[in-house]
Amino acid sequence: MSNHVAAVGESDLKLAYVHARLAEIERTRRVFLAAEGGMPQRDIARAVHLSQASVHRLVARAKALGVGESVEEIVLQRYVGKISTEQMLARLRATEAWVPRRVDPVDGVLPGSSEEDVEALLDGGFLTESEVDQILDAHG
């Protein structure tokens, strides 16, 4: 095994996951906005290397959940250094999308809520107990 491969650890894998997840969120947002702007789903599918059916599902999910910033997205942006902890906390305190998830026309009722998202981000090591307390207190 090479030294390079041996040097990849859990934090490297976590960072790769975060970058991939943020890219997925951004792709979904752009696909939705393109569809809302009138671009045919076949053209969108070709541009993002997905099937037309996958584009349809992404658009339906974005319609159900909205394309504003999610709790997850805000926290992950802080994790990769795009925003500071103070900015993250301020945006999470101010977020209005602090409700149980809506019904997705494709997948049905989506499990969870914003509070559960915060708890999952704590479990994943993306938030501290103190940060969770501050966020939940703001929405209590």
Side-chain angles (χ1 to χ4, degrees):
M1 185 183 306
S2 74
N3 288 338
H4 179 69
V5 173
V8 174
E10 185 177 343
S11 63
D12 295 319
L13 295 171
K14 196 173 191 179
L15 189 59
Y17 162 77
V18 171
H19 283 293
R21 182 68 184 120
L22 286 171
E24 178 184 347
I25 291 167
E26 184 60 22
R27 179 183 69 175
T28 299
R29 181 176 290 125
R30 288 177 188 246
V31 163
F32 174 77
L33 293 173
E36 287 294 297
M39 187 175 189
Q41 287 187 1
R42 279 181 213 253
D43 294 346
I44 296 169
R46 200 170 23 257
V48 295
H49 301 277
L50 291 173
S51 68
Q52 188 274 327
S54 294
V55 168
H56 176 78
R57 284 190 295 275
L58 282 175
V59 171
R61 173 170 254 141
K63 278 183 184 177
L65 296 174
V67 293
E69 281 188 315
S70 67
V71 169
E72 177 190 26
E73 182 179 11
I74 294 167
V75 172
L76 296 182
Q77 286 175 349
R78 188 278 302 261
Y79 188 81
V80 297
K82 288 185 176 183
I83 61 174
S84 69
T85 297
E86 293 75 24
Q87 291 169 318
M88 175 194 72
L89 291 171
R91 284 160 68 180
L92 289 173
R93 283 191 292 266
T95 191
E96 295 177 18
W98 198 265
V99 293
R101 297 198 172 124
R102 292 179 259 170
V103 174
D104 184 305
V106 175
D107 297 329
V109 176
L110 297 172
S113 66
S114 296
E115 186 173 335
E116 290 174 357
D117 288 346
V118 168
E119 295 294 337
L121 290 161
L122 170 66
D123 292 343
F126 299 108
L127 290 169
T128 66
E129 288 279 349
S130 172
E131 291 166 344
V132 169
D133 290 344
Q134 290 177 59
I135 295 162
L136 296 180
D137 286 349
H139 292 280

